[in-house]
Amino acid sequence: MSGNSLYGPLDPAPDAGYVDAPARMGFFTDTSICIGCKACEVACKEWNGIPDDGFNLLGMSYDNTGSLNANTWRHVAFIEQPVPEKTDIRWLMSSDVCKHCTHAACLDVCPTGALFRTEFGTVVVQEDVCNGCGYCIPACPYGVIDQRKDDGRAWKCTMCYDRIGSGLMPACATACPTQSIQYGPLDELRERAEHRVDALHATGVSEARLYGNDPNDGVGGDGAFFLLLDEPEVYGLPPDPVVTTRDLPKMWRKAGLAALAMGAAVVAAFVGGTR
Amino acid sequence: MNADCVIIQGSNMAEAHPVGFQWVVEAKTRGARVIHIDPRFTRTSAIADTYVPMRAGGDVAFLGGVVNYILSNEKDFREYVLAYTNAATIVTDGFRDTEDLDGLFSGYDNETRIYDPTSWQYAGQEPEGDRQDQEMQRATASPQQHQSHGPGVPGATQRDETLQHPNCVFQILKRHFSRYTPEMVEQSTGVSREQFLDVCRAWTDNSGRERTTALVYSVGWTQHTVGVQYIRTGAIIQLLLGNMGRPGGGILALRGHASIQGSTDVPTLFNLLPGYLPMPHHEQHETLRDWIDAFRHPGQKGFWGNAEAYAVSLLKAYWGENATAENDYGYAYLPRLTGDHGTYQQVFNMIDGKVKGYFLLGQNPAVGSAHGKAQRLGMANLDWLVVRDLYMIESATFWKDGPEVETGEIVPERCRTEVFFMPAASHVEKEGTFTQTQRLLQWREKALDPPGECRSDLWFFYHLGLRIKQRLADSTLARDRAVQDLAWDYPTHGETVEPSAEAVLREINGYDVATGRPLSGFAELKADGSTACGCWIYSGVFADGVNQANRRTPGREQSWVAPEWGWAWPLNRRILYNRASADPQGRPWSERKAYVWWDPDKGEHGEWTGYDVPDFEKTKDPAYRPEPGTSGPAGLAGDDAFIMQGDGKGWLYVPSGLIDGPLPTHYEPAESVIRNPFYGQQDNPTRMVYDRPDNPMNPSPPDANSAVFPFVFTTSRLTEHHTAGGMSRTLAYLSELQPAMFIEVSPELAAERGLTHLGWAHVVTSRAVVEGQILVTDRLRPLRIEGRPVHQVWLPYHWGGNGLVTGDSTNDLFGVTLDPNVLIQESKVGTCDVRAGRRPVGPASLAYVADYRRRAGLAVGEGSES
């Protein structure tokens, strides 16, 4: 267990200073019932007024969006897999989104305070504060947050902060026809997800597993976690994401030590005197 | 949602009906087994427990195999079959089956390519007094008109309850399907016998008293020259297994558009009037009495016995006070059929210069209909064309930038068609009802005013009608009386003088003419002119003056049937023929599948009750047996669950009403790569054919030239786009999801033709060549048919030349050949060639296609300037 709030289990909103914060809200995306309709992508763009991402046939199965980026905050991945033992072929579909990490590296490194933690435990970037420095981009272990080429600012999913404060669900969860995207208090979602995995295992779907639900993982658990039917890499997700700021205290200590050692060496060089 | 097993075939439900599909997902979560049978692995297959790859066009072979499995292994739900189907009914002696005639039934005339169905009738049935000329039946899609009221059969039939009589329907069924063995299924469809038997077991294990299986289909079944027979085979299975009229059972027909159910109920079809009354024919239905008796079938039992009331009330709605007993309620004013006025005949008539003007409303035939070139050349030969749409669709601009301009077949400066584009209001800019695929009417309120000059269809036709009436006001011509006498006074509101949609719905519901009181249901309709009703099956939607279609009681506040959300026709019954969910004595077949039942203690002498509105007379005792010869509703016995059929039974065998046979038979598609493995008769002998130089068909075996088009191709939809693309390729958020026309091929076909992933390729038929980028995918696979691999190719049909993302139109590849019963085109299967590289452009593309025709032994044909 660390003695800082950069790593390990944590309730992020109180840690950020909120008094009487509401329950932490999150997404549980059950990819086993995703039908790849992309209503989530469209609803998100409609609500947030996000520009289109260009008309490019990518040839990545039915995925012509490619990945999460500044102009795509919900991205549906399609993976066609031969599965010789079962039905010869399997088509995995999954709607990816910003993970709203417990320990959010993007938030940690933002110099302007554009990125902040909301009372719901989510991470939001304020477009009128962001100065486009780009530090958050390489910080994210998932490669989610991104800069727009034309205006230079960083953009990502807000978990519809402007909806959930009014008792609505985020646009993607509202649009999803099969409730693959579920929104609610994170504790409840985690419990529901455990039951769902057990039910799938009982029907013989042994590859079903949760991803990002564990508060002991490298980012302290995700505010948006998933049920996957294969290894995370298959979906383009990092298998063991670690918040890139985890080692900051250690790094600063080491840097400090190195500086001291450097200083000591300099002193030693002059103390010896001339012969 | 209550199904124990869901079989999806001829449908890509997850992609085409994503919102409805959530209930299949829900069923699966509750433990149902989901099986998807399709030529291609789609997003539906991804969720299904079992995917069965099957050759496009093999559905009757596959389903016939299931019928044979049920009958050979005695898996039918015997009590249900005996009580509720015509299994025991005896057929006339002269009937000959496809078993006897190598793929034909008795009564076939080679010259006219049509059947005389006299030898198909039930034993002892008098020939119909109004026996229509069978060719006229095909031309006017009479079977479609017969639909829910069944053509004439006598109420009393001869039956053998032991099902042993050699000519009873049950035995005929057995003989007819005896050759549809698992081996034949494998050979003809490419489905391994193991997988086929697995489906049979799942289907039969999940049927019976305690369990039900739902069958789902959509246009993957309908758009074939044997489409009606595909559905018939599904119906036979569901009747044999006792799934019809039961919760979690039945057949769910998924319609292809958001409200297209509404546009057959209150139809935009040439041969139907509202409520599936047939359009009268000029020769066969000279008088009102002729017409009414043609669908009322005096002497027959069932609710069509009251059809005179429905018909007269409709005429009263049309002509109001100008419809009186003296003038036969304006019957003379109704248009008359003279033959085939179907949309494809219309197109050929346009090409031949017989059609002057055309109204095109929310439809884009330049992209969405079969034989795109014929569609566009037809429209180029009109005097005038009115297009009402949200965007400048290809059917409005074909004359200046369509493919024929590129080839030189249309020269914009010389094209004679004057095109009027009238912008339309979208569905959020007007109020009204949608009728979705489960017969559910949902009223929508208007959310905002339409921009600029955009107007609703209701506004357009109301005001057009007013102007035409004004123009004809002083005419003394007899033919103008029909318009002059139209009742056309609807209340209007607002600056745009918008007619009241609610007033129209009230008229559709029906009202008492003298008092204006809204009626509560079609039982209140009268044949004496005292009631008016725009659509008898919708009567009840405004019962008690309340817009029932506008109800939105949340699910958690009502029963699982949710009768207070919207309103379903007829009379808010959610499952049709639900009498069959109870046994002949009126008790549910099981507690688990209880739905409606007879409660002898309710009411005065007992009543039907349950979770849904019973689809049966409320007070009719299950033990009721009518006097022989009783007709109309009173002729229905207490165990005649199929109340709209002339004999009250579900039809395994169809004695009359279908053009191409009383039983489904495997015929190859009009364009096929193999010989029919079952019979000498290759394809549907009665299918509608338009034999013209501009409508060539690819040769099929045994013609050796069929090798010129060696691959099977099929088309369907993507979730991301909507039909011909007018409402999706014009929007950035949808266009970026599927930004380009593409062609799916298997790795094996890619290797054979040198096609590369994302490389360009083109597909050729005897009509056209279209190009797209290749997607190589394992979701398509070659199937082994008759011992050799058959490759299948898939193309989406959404693309055209207008919009943010453009591409070639797949429907240009198809020619026109139709199912003879309903005149729908065969656009789900054809043959083609596929070649790497882009297609030739301009006149060179015509020469390219002409070369294929030459090699296929077809007339080469010429392009023509318009």
Side-chain angles (χ1 to χ4, degrees), chain A residues 36 38 50 53 59 62 80, chain B residues 40 43 720 733 736 744 777:
Chain A
K38 307 178 192 171
I50 304 170
D53 228 347
Y62 278 6
E80 298 180 28
Chain B
R40 171 181 159 257
R43 283 175 269 199
E720 296 86 340
Y733 291 160
E736 66 172 327
E744 289 188 349
T777 172

Side-chain angles (χ1 to χ4, degrees), chain A:
Chain A
M1 281 300 279
S2 66
N4 63 40
S5 52
L6 287 177
Y7 192 61
L10 186 74
D11 194 356
D15 181 71
Y18 289 99
V19 176
D20 291 327
R24 184 175 179 191
M25 303 303 278
F27 278 135
F28 164 43
T29 303
D30 180 352
T31 70
S32 71
I33 52 177
C34 175
I35 57 174
C37 72
K38 307 178 192 171
C40 52
E41 292 197 33
V42 176
C44 173
K45 293 218 179 191
E46 286 276 354
W47 179 258
N48 292 296
I50 304 170
D52 69 77
D53 228 347
F55 305 138
N56 308 299
L57 188 70
L58 299 181
M60 289 163 53
S61 187
Y62 278 6
D63 178 0
N64 293 304
T65 308
S67 65
L68 290 172
N69 57 43
N71 291 336
T72 294
W73 303 353
R74 267 280 176 190
H75 159 243
V76 182
F78 292 80
I79 303 109
E80 298 180 28
Q81 282 182 332
V83 182
E85 319 89 49
K86 287 208 162 169
T87 50
D88 290 356
I89 188 170
R90 191 165 69 158
W91 205 359
L92 301 175
M93 296 167 205
S94 164
S95 177
D96 194 13
V97 71
C98 167
K99 313 301 178 290
H100 294 273
C101 310
T102 301
H103 296 293
C106 61
L107 174 60
D108 290 342
V109 305
C110 176
T112 62
L115 278 151
F116 73 102
R117 178 78 60 180
T118 73
E119 65 270 35
F120 298 105
T122 58
V123 178
V124 172
V125 56
Q126 301 165 87
E127 68 263 25
D128 48 351
V129 177
C130 174
N131 68 355
C133 73
Y135 289 175
C136 56
I137 314 298
C140 174
Y142 300 98
V144 170
I145 194 165
D146 188 27
Q147 271 172 303
R148 270 188 199 154
K149 297 222 171 1
D150 47 1
D151 78 3
R153 292 176 285 180
W155 301 84
K156 74 171 190 68
C157 163
T158 66
M159 206 179 283
C160 282
Y161 190 35
D162 49 352
R163 287 174 68 94
I164 63 179
S166 305
L168 297 175
M169 292 203 298
C172 55
T174 311
C176 178
T178 58
Q179 283 90 59
S180 169
I181 298 175
Q182 296 168 39
Y183 166 80
L186 193 58
D187 286 337
E188 273 180 40
L189 292 177
R190 283 179 177 165
E191 211 183 294
R192 198 189 299 165
E194 294 287 348
H195 289 312
R196 175 66 178 154
V197 173
D198 290 339
L200 282 173
H201 288 168
T203 61
V205 186
S206 52
E207 328 83 83
R209 88 284 303 277
L210 297 178
Y211 174 82
N213 62 313
D214 182 3
N216 290 310
D217 71 18
V219 294
D222 290 327
F225 69 100
F226 299 79
L227 188 155
L228 304 178
L229 295 177
D230 205 332
E231 300 292 326
E233 296 93 309
V234 170
Y235 293 86
L237 295 165
D240 182 22
V242 174
V243 59
T244 46
T245 49
R246 172 188 64 175
D247 298 321
L248 269 180
K250 207 165 34 168
M251 285 160 61
W252 279 112
R253 279 198 290 278
K254 289 213 170 122
L257 272 174
L260 282 174
M262 178 74 159
V266 168
V267 167
F270 284 98
V271 154
T274 55
R275 298 222 194 269

Side-chain angles (χ1 to χ4, degrees), chain B residues 241-446:
Chain B
L241 295 179
N243 281 316
M244 297 305 294
R246 305 192 55 207
I251 296 180
L252 179 54
L254 297 176
R255 306 293 310 249
H257 301 74
S259 194
I260 201 171
Q261 180 64 46
S263 70
T264 47
D265 298 338
V266 185
T268 54
L269 299 172
F270 77 93
N271 59 349
L272 287 179
L273 290 168
Y276 300 97
L277 299 174
M279 193 76 81
H281 184 269
H282 77 108
E283 264 176 359
Q284 267 114 38
H285 309 125
E286 274 191 52
T287 69
L288 177 66
R289 179 55 42 202
D290 289 337
W291 177 54
I292 288 179
D293 283 350
F295 50 89
R296 188 171 74 91
H297 300 296
Q300 187 170 269
K301 47 184 183 176
F303 277 88
W304 277 95
N306 293 335
E308 182 164 1
Y310 316 150
V312 170
S313 300
L314 175 65
L315 295 175
K316 283 297 286 183
Y318 283 157
W319 285 287
E321 47 188 44
N322 292 319
T324 63
E326 285 70 45
N327 71 357
D328 275 340
Y329 301 103
Y331 177 67
Y333 297 154
L334 275 179
R336 301 290 198 266
L337 297 177
T338 60
D340 176 5
H341 307 280
T343 185
Y344 288 101
Q345 180 61 61
Q346 246 177 18
V347 168
F348 292 125
N349 286 346
M350 286 182 207
I351 291 176
D352 295 342
K354 295 184 193 165
V355 181
K356 305 300 176 196
Y358 199 32
F359 285 92
L360 207 50
L361 318 159
Q363 184 145 350
N364 194 2
V367 173
S369 292
H371 205 338
K373 182 181 291 295
Q375 304 286 336
R376 295 182 296 264
L377 288 178
M379 289 192 288
N381 211 23
L382 295 165
D383 287 357
W384 54 269
L385 169 67
V386 175
V387 178
R388 274 187 45 85
D389 212 293
L390 306 176
Y391 290 101
M392 276 293 177
I393 55 174
E394 289 80 357
S395 298
T397 66
F398 67 91
W399 58 274
K400 63 183 177 94
D401 56 24
E404 285 67 37
V405 175
E406 187 191 288
T407 61
E409 290 166 285
I410 294 178
V411 178
E413 293 80 5
R414 297 219 288 274
C415 178
R416 58 184 296 165
T417 314
E418 190 173 359
V419 181
F420 299 86
F421 186 85
M422 315 289 292
S426 82
H427 70 275
V428 296
E429 295 162 351
K430 54 191 178 183
E431 69 272 8
T433 55
F434 277 69
T435 305
Q436 54 79 277
T437 203
Q438 288 178 301
R439 295 168 284 107
L440 186 69
L441 279 74
Q442 295 175 96
W443 176 272
R444 311 280 189 90
E445 299 292 359
K446 179 165 118 166

